Amino acid sequence: MVESDRETLNALIEALRRRPFLCGAHGAIAADLRRAAEQDDEAISKLTQTCLRDPGEPVLLEMLRRPAPRSLEEARQLVAGLRATNPAPTKAGMTVDDRMPWPFAFGPSHIRNWYTPSPGDWRDEVFYFLLVDRFSDAHEDPAKLIGNDLTTATGRECIARLSEGHDWSGWEESGHERYQGGTLRGVLSKLDYLKGLGVTTIWLSPVLQQCVTSESYHGYGIQNFLDVDPHFGTRADLCLLVAEAHNRSMRVILDVIFNHTGMVFTYVHPDGKREDTPPYTSGSYDEATFKPLGEDGQPLDPQQGGGFRRFDYIYPLELRSSASFVRAGTGNLGEGKVFDTVAEHKRTDFLSLRKLNLYNKETLDTIIESYKWLIALSDVDGLRIDTFKHTTPEQATTFTSALKEFTERIRKHAFFLVAECAGGDEWQINYSTVVGRWLDAVLDIGEQRCNEERLAKGIVDPMPYFSGYNNLTNNTLNPIGCLRNFGYRHLNVVNDHDHVCGPKLRFAANACNNHQYTVAAALQLFTLGIPCLYYGCEQNLASGVAGGDSQPGNADWLLREAMFGPSHAIKRGLGGVGANTEDPSRIDDGVVGFGPHHTSGFHAFNTDSPVYERIAALSLVRASFKALRRGRQYPRVHFGTDSLGSPGDLFCWTRVLGEEEVLIVCNPHGMNTQTGRFNLDADVAKKQNYCVAWYTGCAKQAADYEGTSVTEELVRSFIMTTFCLVFGIIFGWGFSSTISLYV
């Protein structure tokens, strides 16, 4: 074992010891333990045996000391052997449901003695999605912090000076084709940064081992379903990250793929011609064309027995068969009907990524079992499921129900499953309906994402966004509106790593000022749904666009700047793996790093950023008022009209829970002062108090409510300390308010 792995294991042991107690009367137990620490070790030991759910995890730690298993059978045998000498602990009075399940055969549930329970209500969470390779390497230099405002000429000039020495094409090529060096340890180093922002759940991009020749820094080209990619770290690094997040009352969601693998094989025709992306066929290419690839990207020699080097072919070994893949070539990812089980979009390779044959029960069972091992090993709290629409409803239901039932048995009673259903509202509602209770939520990444972004920038009026929550449209049932009205069935997304709908540019590209994203954040945090921030939004990452400069392009990688500001990219292939993530030989000195704002060597972890401060404040407001997380939602019209407003106007909505109503007013105009009057429901006004929260895209703000002067200092106090203005009944028969915002 290398020294860095030993250090990680020691840190993991300490984190498990410090895990929050999972039994009742937390405060009393903690106090007892503190008193015991002052008395003697014997008392601590006694309390540990009776109250703590984590006296130790010997099987987990021993598994992490060993290489990852090559097959599911090897994993089962390993756990069985370790359990023979490390039986699970018991506790008097434990219910059957609380106890670790012990089926007839050993399996993934036996890795740990105890698992962290799920949160009570996922609507209370604030998600933060990050690409591991592009977030942090844990070595940011405080002297290399970017703090310039890209919305001013002076700020853009400062950024331009920082990017001197490399051209746009080199920077863009680095971001498109190379790993940058972000790691799981980097994410661990930023847990307090994220908690300060108000984040409660971290969604990690896929971390499983990738095809080493593919440069799939994003994580969606898996070669080994039983190990963590060495570019990101180790299995111990993942376990430590999750344990430390739990110690901060934070959750971790893993991004997973069960539709396809990386390019683990190629097609070689009888004439010897190799085709990595042959044209689609409604059948399957002949088995003779199926050629597994080795770690050098070349077809394996049959005499090698399939190849057992770390990056050869695919793991677990149970998938090493041509029958595990559809082998239909590369077709149209949008071709076919939603529920056509043999539609082209459900059978095709995903470009060079290989479509798994989920029609084959053995293949689907292997993938399900592999993810059970990942959940049990890491103790994560949920999964984000990629390319969901490219599987049939039956396959999707089998996958999700199996994982839900498994996590139910290990006390994760609300294990969170959220799916990516690209293609817009139709696909989201159809899969949510068919898969039903096995799928908790979908990513709202279709038309609604675009409407929300445009509303926050003042480009469109509020109606397209708020009508997306309507249960009825022209007296006809609106299924997607019904879905959103649950409040827990969709993740509210403004930016992500793909932008399957709309331009592939971040919100901050060509923003009017240095905190306009806060209006988008207010929509995410204060409207129905589970808010999901995207890494770098709090630092105005802008796809390399320096304020008013011309837009550089429309490509995925422009959404994926490396926030930690690497000076150089990572070497290609095996040269980029190195001994561990700290190995300097991995660095490619000839390729500039894909840092923020078209720079390299400068990072953007600025807790004094105008957007970071404002999102942190709004997150505190959200946490303070349950109505903002779980209440009903009502858009409010301008006084004397039936309109929610024109593009760029103030707009207003309220959230109602019981006798509490919270009024939110936003000014999406990034430059102008505005005044607005809004109607509130007369019947509601007769019996409720009003909590007033508001935000504007302008640099300074003040407010005036019906002649009651509210100073800028008071508003700033409200924004920064969650002070809330509470109003009683204004009129017995109705209510209107006047809002004045000043630059």
Side-chain angles (χ1 to χ4, degrees):
M1 183 187 302
V2 299
E3 188 62 30
S4 60
D5 288 343
R6 184 174 290 105
E7 291 175 0
T8 301
L9 282 174
N10 290 336
L12 177 58
I13 292 170
E14 181 61 26
L16 290 173
R17 287 173 178 164
R18 292 188 288 109
R19 180 173 298 182
F21 309 134
L22 306 182
C23 44
H26 299 179
I29 294 172
D32 285 345
L33 283 176
R34 283 193 295 271
R35 285 193 295 271
E38 297 170 357
Q39 296 172 11
D40 54 60
D41 292 337
E42 184 178 350
I44 295 177
S45 177
K46 183 178 179 180
L47 284 171
T48 297
Q49 293 300 318
T50 57
C51 297
L52 292 183
R53 293 290 182 96
D54 288 307
E57 295 288 1
V59 174
L60 169 68
L61 295 173
E62 184 58 33
M63 288 193 70
L64 294 176
R65 292 186 181 102
R66 304 185 183 199
R70 297 188 301 178
S71 69
L72 294 173
E73 180 59 30
E74 182 182 330
R76 285 189 286 267
Q77 291 178 3
L78 174 59
V79 170
L82 293 173
R83 274 298 171 202
T85 55
N86 296 279
T90 59
K91 191 183 81 168
M94 187 184 300
T95 65
V96 174
D97 189 52
D98 282 336
R99 185 175 301 168
M100 270 303 314
W102 290 96
F104 294 108
F106 284 91
S109 61
H110 305 105
I111 293 177
R112 291 173 178 261
N113 293 328
W114 309 107
Y115 291 87
T116 304
S118 306
D121 195 319
W122 285 96
R123 290 175 296 177
D124 296 337
E125 303 297 309
V126 176
F127 279 59
Y128 184 98
F129 172 37
L130 62 88
L131 295 179
V132 175
D133 180 63
R134 302 297 167 92
F135 185 62
S136 171
D137 67 351
H139 297 302
E140 293 82 11
D141 183 350
K144 293 295 185 71
L145 173 66
I146 289 180
N148 298 106
D149 179 5
L150 295 182
T151 62
T152 67
T154 301
R156 290 194 295 273
E157 289 173 3
C158 291
I159 293 295
R161 287 195 295 271
L162 294 179
S163 61
E164 289 177 354
H166 63 266
D167 59 18
W168 170 270
S169 61
W171 178 83
E172 187 180 35
E173 181 180 349
S174 175
H176 173 36
E177 298 181 356
R178 294 295 192 92
Y179 284 91
Q180 299 298 315
T183 64
L184 292 166
R185 293 186 185 187
V187 181
L188 175 62
S189 74
K190 297 298 179 291
L191 288 181
D192 292 335
Y193 167 90
L194 294 173
K195 192 172 181 66
L197 184 63
V199 171
T200 62
T201 296
I202 303 166
W203 158 16
L204 299 175
S205 60
V207 298
L208 294 179
Q209 186 167 296
Q210 304 291 294
C211 290
V212 74
T213 58
S214 297
E215 301 302 316
S216 49
Y217 64 86
H218 43 68
Y220 295 98
I222 297 173
Q223 178 257 343
N224 188 339
F225 287 87
L226 299 179
D227 203 359
V228 167
D229 191 279
H231 289 93
F232 307 140
T234 66
R235 292 171 298 146
D237 289 330
L238 175 61
C239 293
L240 178 59
L241 170 59
V242 175
E244 289 291 2
H246 287 163
N247 285 336
R248 291 167 173 80
S249 299
M250 301 172 77
R251 306 288 174 172
V252 178
I253 302 291
L254 290 183
D255 206 323
V256 299
I257 307 98
F258 82 111
N259 174 69
H260 57 261
T261 71
M263 195 172 77
V264 297
F265 73 89
T266 191
Y267 301 85
V268 180
H269 300 286
D271 61 1
K273 179 184 178 183
R274 171 175 171 172
E275 277 193 291
D276 290 340
T277 55
Y280 177 78
T281 175
S282 58
S284 296
Y285 278 88
D286 190 270
E287 281 196 37
T289 66
F290 179 86
K291 301 297 180 183
L293 295 176
E295 65 181 20
D296 58 359
Q298 298 302 312
L300 287 168
D301 184 345
Q303 300 302 316
Q304 292 181 333
F308 292 105
R309 294 170 297 186
R310 181 174 185 179
F311 293 98
D312 280 346
Y313 196 5
I314 191 170
Y315 294 95
L317 297 178
E318 286 86 349
L319 290 176
R320 290 197 167 191
S321 166
S322 60
S324 297
F325 301 91
V326 174
R327 310 189 318 276
T330 303
N332 187 335
L333 294 170
E335 184 66 30
K337 301 292 185 180
V338 175
F339 296 132
D340 181 355
T341 60
V342 293
E344 187 170 328
H345 74 269
K346 286 182 167 55
R347 298 184 70 258
T348 175
D349 286 343
F350 208 90
L351 302 177
S352 64
L353 305 176
R354 301 310 187 210
K355 171 69 180 183
L356 282 162
N357 184 10
L358 303 179
Y359 303 94
N360 180 350
K361 182 180 183 301
E362 288 74 18
T363 302
L364 182 53
D365 287 348
T366 298
I367 294 298
I368 290 171
E369 192 72 7
S370 298
Y371 281 122
K372 288 180 182 178
W373 284 97
L374 178 64
I375 294 167
L377 183 83
S378 62
D379 193 29
V380 292
D381 306 284
L383 303 178
R384 178 269 192 187
I385 309 170
D386 187 60
T387 52
F388 207 62
K389 81 166 191 178
H390 296 282
T391 64
T392 70
E394 181 180 2
Q395 294 161 2
T397 302
T398 300
F399 181 77
T400 53
S401 62
L403 295 182
K404 277 288 194 179
E405 291 174 355
F406 170 74
T407 53
E408 185 75 28
R409 297 195 67 196
I410 60 173
R411 297 184 66 253
K412 292 180 178 289
H413 302 310
F415 190 80
F416 194 70
L417 294 181
V418 56
E420 178 216 35
C421 297
D425 291 352
E426 177 189 5
W427 296 85
Q428 293 171 199
I429 189 61
N430 281 326
Y431 270 85
S432 293
T433 302
V434 171
V435 179
R437 70 188 182 97
W438 306 115
L439 183 66
D440 295 287
V442 293
L443 297 173
D444 212 350
I445 54 176
E447 299 90 337
Q448 186 77 340
R449 187 200 71 78
C450 298
N451 290 335
E452 187 170 28
E453 183 171 14
R454 293 167 185 153
L455 172 60
K457 282 191 171 183
I459 297 172
V460 299
D461 67 75
M463 181 57 73
Y465 177 72
F466 284 103
S467 64
Y469 291 94
N470 290 347
N471 293 326
L472 295 173
T473 302
N474 297 324
N475 294 321
T476 302
L477 183 68
N478 178 19
I480 191 66
C482 295
L483 178 80
R484 294 189 181 110
N485 264 285
F486 281 107
Y488 55 81
R489 296 300 307 275
H490 75 282
L491 257 64
N492 191 319
V493 176
V494 171
N495 282 160
D496 68 4
H497 63 316
D498 282 336
H499 281 200
V500 293
C501 178
K504 295 181 184 294
L505 288 171
R506 284 178 175 265
F507 182 96
N510 297 313
C512 293
N513 60 50
N514 67 359
H515 58 269
Q516 192 172 22
Y517 184 87
T518 317
V519 178
L523 282 165
Q524 290 181 277
L525 293 165
F526 296 157
T527 59
L528 278 165
I530 302 171
C532 182
L533 306 172
Y534 183 47
Y535 85 97
C537 68
E538 74 281 11
Q539 301 296 342
N540 278 325
L541 294 195
S543 302
V545 182
D549 292 355
S550 60
Q551 295 183 356
N554 195 12
D556 289 343
W557 54 89
L558 293 175
L559 300 164
R560 305 170 183 176
E561 293 163 87
M563 196 163 160
F564 65 99
S567 297
H568 299 92
I570 301 299
K571 290 179 180 177
R572 293 183 184 275
L574 288 171
V577 174
N580 53 56
T581 56
E582 303 298 319
D583 187 348
S585 69
R586 302 191 314 138
I587 307 300
D588 189 339
D589 293 330
V591 180
V592 68
F594 190 61
H597 307 313
H598 185 205
T599 67
S600 64
F602 296 88
H603 70 91
F605 288 99
N606 182 10
T607 55
D608 293 327
S609 157
V611 180
Y612 182 98
E613 289 185 333
R614 287 163 169 80
I615 292 179
L618 296 180
S619 296
L620 285 172
V621 173
R622 185 178 192 270
S624 300
F625 297 99
K626 187 177 287 188
L628 289 171
R629 309 189 304 274
R630 307 188 192 182
R632 290 168 282 138
Q633 177 173 295
Y634 299 97
R636 298 302 185 182
V637 299
H638 283 250
F639 181 73
T641 77
D642 59 0
S643 170
L644 298 179
S646 299
D649 283 352
L650 294 181
F651 61 92
C652 170
W653 71 98
T654 63
R655 300 290 301 275
V656 179
L657 185 67
E659 295 186 353
E660 179 181 69
E661 180 166 11
V662 181
L663 169 71
I664 306 101
V665 180
C666 284
N667 175 15
H669 201 298
M671 301 177 70
N672 291 349
T673 293
Q674 300 195 79
T675 299
R677 292 168 63 87
F678 298 94
N679 283 349
L680 299 183
D681 186 89
D683 292 333
V684 174
K686 290 178 182 179
K687 58 184 179 182
Q688 298 196 14
N689 290 332
Y690 287 89
C691 303
V692 183
W694 60 278
Y695 204 79
T696 172
C698 296
K700 296 180 180 179
Q701 52 261 343
D704 187 289
Y705 289 88
E706 292 294 323
T708 301
S709 177
V710 182
T711 66
E712 181 176 348
E713 288 72 25
L714 183 57
V715 172
R716 190 178 301 280
S717 174
F718 159 62
I719 291 295
M720 297 310 297
T721 66
T722 75
F723 174 86
C724 191
L725 308 174
V726 181
F727 293 82
I729 299 171
I730 305 301
F731 299 109
W733 51 270
F735 179 92
S736 68
S737 71
T738 301
I739 311 296
S740 300
L741 307 175
Y742 302 96
V743 175

